[in-house]
Each structure stands twice: as structure tokens, then as C-alpha cells.
Amino acid sequence: MSIEKVKEYLKQYNKDQDIKELKESSATVELAAKALNVSPARIAKTLSFKKDNSCILVVTAGDTKINNKKFKQTFGLKAKMLTPNEVIELIGHAIGGVCPFALKNPDIKVYCDSSMKRFHTVFPACGSSNSAIELTCDELFTISKSQTWVDVCDIRE
């Protein structure tokens, strides 16, 4: 089970006990925000994009959308999301629980979008459709082994 792998992964950071397993679904930004009683913007959504025969992950604030021009300038490729089957195959977490932790392929590159820096803490998923953890942006960057901060999103109006 994906959440068990995330718990094991987070042990090395002494964060495994901080995972919140919710009674209700947190599979979408809106559901997660409601279940955690926080603004949707503070939900750290992990988006997966095709790159060659693998992918890259971008963790961004819940109230954003990818800016295709910025994405292409930053990564040198078109922003094409993985299919649900590709997400499971490459990342190891199903849609609704995708997170930047305990990835099936540890060579997948993770990037954090600067849209999250507006908040002291954010809430990424933890491998299941009813889990989350509250982390500072610096903790998220470190624990996800992020490559760098990027600016590839626009805040939705």
C-alpha cells in the first residue's frame, strides 16, 4: 500500500507520525482543503508530466494552474500530464494520493513551484486519497529531494 511506503520513507525525517489519515477523501484540492479545514491554496498538489520515457513532478499550491509558456521555458518541453495508468506505473501512487515521497523510481526529478512560498506551511498528500501531512515549504523541499524552486504556475483568479 502506497501510504505505508510513504510512512516508511518519512521515518528518516522523523515525520512518519505526522501523517494525518482522514475519515473523508482528500483526493482533490477542494476535498483536501475541506477535510483539513484550510484554504485550497495551502494544499500542495503534485503534478506529473511526461519527459522522455519517464516523468518530472512539480509540487505547487492548490490554487494554481500550469503556465505552458513558463513550463516550456523552464523545462524545455511541453507540459503533457501522465495518464492515470502511467502515474501508477512510474510514480507508484494513484491519482488522488500522488505525492513527492517514496517514489517508485527514485531517479524522478521533483521541483517545487514558488507559488507555495506564500504560506508558512502546506499540505501534500501521503500516498493515499485520504492522507496529508503539514510541512513548512523548506521541509517539503528537503523531504521531497526537490531539485530547485521553479516558477511555472499562475494563480487562478
Side-chain angles (χ1 to χ4, degrees), residues 111-123:
Y111 300 87
C112 286
D113 188 77
S114 59
S115 60
M116 293 185 291
K117 287 187 173 184
R118 297 173 283 160
F119 309 106
H120 178 65
T121 61
V122 292
F123 295 84

Side-chain angles (χ1 to χ4, degrees), residues 24-37:
E24 53 275 296
S25 174
S26 59
T28 67
V29 167
E30 292 75 20
L31 290 172
K34 184 177 177 188
L36 294 163
N37 196 30

Side-chain angles (χ1 to χ4, degrees), residues 75-107:
F75 297 113
L77 56 116
K78 185 177 177 183
K80 185 171 183 189
M81 296 193 74
L82 299 180
T83 67
N85 286 342
E86 288 170 328
V87 170
I88 293 171
E89 180 184 322
L90 294 171
I91 299 167
H93 305 307
I95 300 287
V98 176
C99 63
F101 318 122
L103 303 175
K104 184 176 179 181
N105 178 348
D107 294 330

Side-chain angles (χ1 to χ4, degrees), residues 17-29:
Q17 298 300 315
D18 295 343
I19 295 174
K20 300 172 191 312
E21 291 191 68
L22 307 162
K23 289 182 176 27
E24 53 275 296
S25 174
S26 59
T28 67
V29 167

Side-chain angles (χ1 to χ4, degrees), residues 138-154:
D138 288 340
E139 287 173 329
L140 175 59
F141 184 88
T142 300
I143 294 170
S144 68
K145 299 179 181 169
S146 188
Q147 300 297 299
T148 189
W149 286 97
V150 295
D151 177 11
V152 296
C153 293
D154 294 329

